[in-house]
Amino acid sequence: MSTEEISIQCPVCRREHIFTKDVQEFHCRGKHLVLFSDRHGWRLMEVRKISEKEDRELDKIWGSSEE
Ligand SMILES: [Zn+2]
C-alpha cells in the first residue's frame, strides 16, 4: 500500500498542490486538470476540449500503467 503524498506544481495557478499518488481529476480556478504518471513521474495536465484523436492518446496514457 502506498498512500504517499506528492506536491506538484500547478500549471494554472503556479502553486503547488498536494495529491496522493493516484490518477485523478482536479479543478483549479475553473480549469479542468488531470493528474497522471508517465515515465517521467507524476504530472498535472490541463484537459482541453478533447478530439477523437486526443481521446485515443489519453487512452494510451491511462491504459499504460502496467509497465
Ligand atoms: Zn492550482
Side-chain angles (χ1 to χ4, degrees), residues 10 12-13 15 17 26 28:
C10 177
V12 177
C13 69
R15 295 185 183 194
H17 297 296
F26 175 71
C28 182

Side-chain angles (χ1 to χ4, degrees), residues 6-51:
I6 43 170
S7 76
I8 307 280
Q9 192 182 23
C10 177
V12 177
C13 69
R14 304 286 169 194
R15 295 185 183 194
E16 293 196 340
H17 297 296
I18 307 292
F19 298 97
T20 53
K21 288 186 173 176
D22 228 344
V23 174
Q24 60 198 281
E25 291 179 278
F26 175 71
H27 287 89
C28 182
R29 296 190 180 178
K31 303 278 188 181
H32 187 192
L33 303 158
V34 65
L35 179 72
F36 68 95
S37 72
D38 61 16
R39 63 187 61 228
H40 302 295
W42 287 90
R43 294 203 289 155
L44 206 51
M45 190 174 76
E46 188 181 335
V47 178
R48 272 157 274 179
K49 207 173 161 194
I50 290 184
S51 69

